[in-house]
Amino acid sequence: ESECVHELARGWKDEPDTLRWIKKRAQNDIKEKVRIAAVREIARGWKNDLDTLSWLEELAQKSHNMFIHSVVLEAVAYQWKSHSKALTWLKHLVQESKNFTLSYNALDIILEQEKNFPLTLKWLNQLVEKSESWLVQSTALLGLIDRWKERSTILVLLKNYVQGDYNWLVRI
């Protein structure tokens, strides 16, 4: 079935009902594989459509499926990597989403795409100190260590964090 979505998106892209039909598959198909294929095809085939980025953002926030979250985040990061709205949205998810998996996946995408999304020491530091998610905290901490371990401030931060944080999952 996912092959059908792929062929339809590529062969009948200009047909008026194709996008609407594929969006329905992305939102409601009973097979996860079809939903994932539909999201990928929409991101690839309609990346120049003004509504696609907003639609994908909405889909990620409404979906309860972690695989759909990952596919949407990857699509946004890769298809719109030079679009400032993409970075703003990904950062918003990291900081504001109540879905910790979605927050973590957004941060992971930002760290992977660092050359496209310039990171700041201050922003990662804030995540370490203020995030409600131990997963986001520990990922941001690892991001700091990987990128700025030569700075003395990182050593101080790391020591303070290990001594002062009560979340044993982050200290590991």
Side-chain angles (χ1 to χ4, degrees):
E1 297 98 1
S2 59
E3 294 83 13
C4 292
V5 171
H6 174 76
E7 291 302 321
L8 185 66
R10 294 182 187 225
W12 288 272
K13 181 181 183 266
D14 297 325
E15 291 294 319
D17 290 336
T18 301
L19 180 57
R20 184 174 46 237
W21 186 86
I22 294 175
K23 281 182 176 180
K24 284 184 183 178
R25 299 289 62 79
Q27 293 170 312
N28 302 318
D29 202 278
I30 55 174
K31 294 189 177 181
E32 186 173 89
K33 186 176 169 182
V34 172
R35 290 194 314 271
I36 289 169
V39 168
R40 286 188 174 136
E41 290 303 327
I42 290 167
R44 185 203 53 76
W46 286 271
K47 66 182 174 189
N48 295 324
D49 185 318
L50 299 175
D51 296 328
T52 300
L53 182 56
S54 297
W55 183 84
L56 287 168
E57 291 170 355
E58 186 178 323
L59 178 66
Q61 291 170 322
K62 287 183 177 179
S63 177
H64 298 291
N65 183 306
M66 68 179 184
F67 297 112
I68 295 296
H69 294 161
S70 294
V71 171
V72 169
L73 293 174
E74 286 174 18
V76 169
Y78 294 106
Q79 297 293 348
W80 290 274
K81 58 185 158 199
S82 60
H83 197 295
S84 64
K85 185 179 177 190
L87 177 59
T88 301
W89 179 66
L90 289 169
K91 280 186 167 184
H92 174 77
L93 288 178
V94 171
Q95 294 170 296
E96 304 297 329
S97 179
K98 298 300 179 203
N99 181 324
F100 292 143
T101 304
L102 189 57
S103 296
Y104 164 76
N105 286 339
L107 178 56
D108 195 45
I109 290 288
I110 291 170
L111 291 172
E112 274 181 28
Q113 294 287 313
E114 184 177 1
K115 62 184 175 281
N116 298 317
F117 299 140
L119 293 178
T120 63
L121 182 68
K122 184 178 177 181
W123 183 71
L124 283 174
N125 207 357
Q126 287 172 345
L127 291 176
V128 170
E129 293 173 359
K130 297 181 181 170
S131 178
E132 294 177 17
S133 165
W134 68 267
L135 194 52
V136 169
Q137 286 178 319
S138 59
T139 304
L141 186 59
L142 290 173
L144 285 168
I145 294 166
D146 287 347
R147 286 150 187 84
W148 292 288
K149 62 183 159 215
E150 70 283 350
R151 291 190 180 200
S152 60
T153 55
I154 298 303
L155 179 58
V156 171
L157 172 75
L158 191 56
K159 285 180 179 178
N160 289 340
Y161 200 74
V162 169
Q163 291 173 338
D165 188 76
Y166 298 107
N167 190 332
W168 65 273
L169 291 168
V170 178
R171 288 193 310 260
I172 293 180

